[in-house]
Amino acid sequence: MVQITPPALAKPALAPTSDRQQGGNARNVVITTLLLGTLAGDLPAFELRDPFATRSLVPPRPSLYGERAAPPCQPLPADAPYGLLEVVNLALCRNPTTREVWSATRVQAAQVGLAESDLLPTLNGQANASRVRIDSQSAQQRSASLTLSWLLFDFGARSANLEVARQLMSAAVSTLDSTVQSVFLNALQAYYNAQAARAAVAAALETERASRESLTAAEVRYRVGTGTPADRLQAQTAWSQATLSRIRAEGLLRNSFGRLANVMGLDANQPLRLDDLAATPPDASFEGDVAALIAEAREQRPDLKAAEAELRAAEAGVDYARAAGMPTLSLSAGPQWADLGSATANGSSIGLTVNLPIFSGFNTTYNVRAAEARTEVQTARRDNVRQQIALDVWEAYQSLATATQTVRSSVDLLASAEQSERVALGRYKAGVGNILDVLNAQSALANARLQRIQAMLDWYVSRATLAKAVGTLDGQLLLMGSNRPQATRPSGPR
């Protein structure tokens, strides 16, 4: 270390203490105490003002409506039904996962502020007072100093550290966006599962009603002598099975409502009411060039943006590791005052300090190697995300295409099953059919209803999954499955 200090400022003047000097020294103590007290009182307020404006780097809290939500993140009244918009909005702003990742972006924003603060000088004040007793003699000693320290040159280490912090901040924001889309999709899946479970209960009730009607018809024929006991017993068995299916469907509905409440950040026992699901006919607007969808996904997907930002941070980390082993140049200056009882000292100093790392046990060498290896790791992770995006889009596209065709086929299946059940029951009531035809037709109708429900559920979920795979899952998608008017169009979470 090389210390460069002007001699005229390095040596304080020592002189016998006089009354005038004592008065001046007392003023120095008062001034120093007031100065330090003022700084101590002002610094917390100064810190709260966010001088580097890092709060502007943090995106708003996850919410479908943004700042327009009023009241924000509050459940609806007990008698109010939840639509798709309310479910997703509550999931985004109340789910612990989104709150955790949003708080992580605030932590990283503070790290950017810390990196920027390294570029500024520091000012430290110090005041000491002591009483020394030797044999029978005692004396008071007081001193005060104010020191300015400023790292002037470090071969770009601080700039590289700031770049690392900024890139990690960018990665944190993209990670937040990716997490928001994941929670968004989970909320959609939970909502549509609950709607499907509700429709399954309605279908089970209809099947139970039809089975009861068949049992009644079998009992009528048995009483008039045109039916057999076997017909009545078979109809009774079918009705009992339909009742059991309805009970199971109601249990699945309660569980689906509990999972939906959990995704929304509520307790599983929270009572929920749902809006009727809007009738949304399947469309083929998603059909197109899969390669174009993959290219769009690689432009839009936030997880790929996060991986690329982490790669840039790793590259900046290599520069920081190299610069950390280079010399640094620092400036220090400040006044000092001391009262030794029998003498006083007043002075000031200013100096330049050059720090020359000569040998650090090859620490810098291996720090650079580790940073370069981390860059290779992040490059591989980025490439892996790019490959995974292509697979996600391909699978989601094929799933949606299959779901669209299944919905169309399930419509025809349900219509034919309903017609078959009506014909079989009518023939049986007219005395020209048998109970097995009726029961088989009713079983086929029950399966057709469930397949229709499952097909619509798969289509809704596949549509949202493809939007997430492309990176465009936002509030616009919800308008297609919501009964809300266009005036409530949300801004989206992205």
Side-chain angles (χ1 to χ4, degrees):
M1 180 179 293
V2 180
Q3 181 77 24
I4 306 175
T5 305
L9 298 176
K11 296 182 180 180
L14 298 177
T17 305
S18 64
D19 293 340
R20 184 175 180 179
Q21 289 172 328
Q22 289 178 349
N25 294 338
R27 286 193 298 272
N28 288 339
V29 173
V30 172
I31 292 173
T32 302
T33 303
L34 290 176
L35 175 62
L36 295 177
T38 302
L39 288 173
D42 287 346
L43 280 178
F46 181 72
E47 292 171 356
L48 292 177
R49 287 197 292 267
D50 190 15
F52 298 118
T54 58
R55 291 179 181 175
S56 63
L57 303 176
V58 180
R61 286 179 178 270
S63 174
L64 192 62
Y65 295 94
E67 300 298 330
R68 294 179 295 163
C73 299
Q74 295 299 323
L76 297 179
D79 58 342
Y82 283 90
L84 187 55
L85 297 176
E86 291 82 11
V87 167
V88 173
N89 180 63
L90 211 59
L92 292 181
C93 63
R94 287 182 65 93
N95 193 288
T97 302
T98 57
R99 290 191 284 116
E100 176 186 354
V101 181
W102 181 76
S103 298
T105 62
R106 298 178 61 197
V107 173
Q108 191 55 47
Q111 295 297 323
V112 174
L114 288 175
E116 292 193 8
S117 68
D118 290 338
L119 300 173
L120 297 181
T122 60
L123 184 64
N124 295 316
Q126 185 177 15
N128 295 312
S130 62
R131 185 176 183 85
V132 180
R133 182 176 180 84
I134 302 177
D135 295 334
S136 60
Q137 302 293 324
S138 63
Q140 292 183 350
Q141 296 182 355
R142 293 169 294 176
S143 63
S145 64
L146 200 62
T147 304
L148 172 71
S149 301
W150 196 354
L151 179 60
L152 300 178
F153 186 70
D154 60 358
F155 284 89
R158 291 171 297 170
S159 299
N161 187 46
L162 177 58
E163 180 64 16
V164 170
R166 286 174 174 169
Q167 293 301 332
L168 290 179
M169 181 65 206
S170 177
V173 172
S174 296
T175 300
L176 173 62
D177 196 3
S178 179
T179 303
V180 164
Q181 292 203 18
S182 295
V183 173
F184 196 120
L185 181 59
N186 291 339
L188 284 175
Q189 290 176 327
Y191 174 81
Y192 287 128
N193 279 328
Q195 290 284 13
R198 192 169 70 161
V201 170
L205 287 171
E206 184 63 23
T207 301
E208 185 181 16
R209 183 202 60 77
S211 298
R212 180 61 187 173
E213 185 179 358
S214 299
L215 176 59
T216 302
E219 289 175 342
V220 170
R221 289 190 59 177
Y222 177 73
R223 285 196 298 268
V224 299
T226 59
T228 65
D231 289 351
R232 186 167 62 88
L233 291 174
Q234 288 176 338
Q236 176 70 46
T237 301
W239 178 56
S240 299
Q241 290 176 344
T243 302
L244 289 175
S245 298
R246 187 257 305 165
I247 293 173
R248 293 192 187 98
E250 289 174 345
L252 293 176
L253 176 61
R254 288 190 291 270
N255 286 334
S256 66
F257 270 76
R259 285 189 289 269
L260 177 60
N262 179 264
V263 172
M264 295 164 61
L266 305 174
D267 291 335
N269 61 344
Q270 176 78 23
L272 295 177
R273 291 183 56 207
L274 298 183
D275 270 347
D276 292 334
L277 192 62
T280 305
D283 61 81
S285 60
F286 66 92
E287 294 181 355
D289 185 4
V290 178
L293 290 176
I294 293 174
E296 181 183 359
R298 286 173 172 167
E299 292 290 332
Q300 299 288 342
R301 281 279 289 265
D303 51 347
L304 180 57
K305 294 179 180 179
E308 291 174 343
E310 289 173 352
L311 173 58
R312 291 191 294 269
E315 292 171 345
V318 176
D319 297 334
Y320 174 77
R322 289 191 178 122
M326 304 297 288
T328 60
L329 178 64
S330 304
L331 170 69
S332 61
Q336 301 95 27
W337 169 81
D339 182 0
L340 305 178
S342 59
T344 61
N346 292 282
S348 60
S349 66
I350 183 171
L352 292 174
T353 301
V354 178
N355 183 25
L356 299 173
I358 298 175
F359 181 69
S360 59
F362 304 106
N363 179 276
T364 301
T365 300
Y366 289 103
N367 278 338
V368 172
R369 288 187 180 182
E372 292 173 342
R374 281 191 290 269
T375 300
E376 295 176 359
V377 170
Q378 292 299 333
T379 301
R381 289 179 178 174
R382 188 272 314 273
D383 294 342
N384 184 58
V385 173
R386 286 179 59 85
Q387 290 293 107
Q388 186 63 40
I389 285 175
L391 179 60
D392 291 345
V393 173
W394 174 257
E395 291 182 341
Y397 180 88
Q398 300 302 330
S399 296
L400 183 55
T402 302
T404 302
Q405 296 175 4
T406 303
V407 168
R408 294 167 181 167
S409 298
S410 67
V411 174
D412 298 334
L413 175 63
L414 180 59
S416 62
E418 289 174 342
Q419 181 67 21
S420 176
E421 190 269 345
R422 285 194 298 268
V423 171
L425 183 59
R427 284 172 55 83
Y428 183 74
K429 289 181 177 180
V432 295
N434 61 70
I435 193 64
L436 291 178
D437 293 337
V438 176
L439 297 181
N440 290 334
Q442 289 178 344
S443 177
L445 177 58
N447 290 331
R449 286 172 178 154
L450 292 178
Q451 290 185 38
R452 169 66 175 171
I453 294 169
Q454 187 63 44
M456 288 303 303
L457 169 64
D458 292 342
W459 185 80
Y460 282 121
V461 173
S462 297
R463 181 186 59 170
T465 302
L466 178 59
K468 180 181 181 298
V470 178
T472 58
L473 183 59
D474 56 23
Q476 302 299 324
L477 183 72
L478 302 185
L479 297 176
M480 300 175 61
S482 172
N483 291 322
R484 295 293 185 269
Q486 294 289 331
T488 60
R489 179 181 293 267
S491 59
R494 302 181 66 243

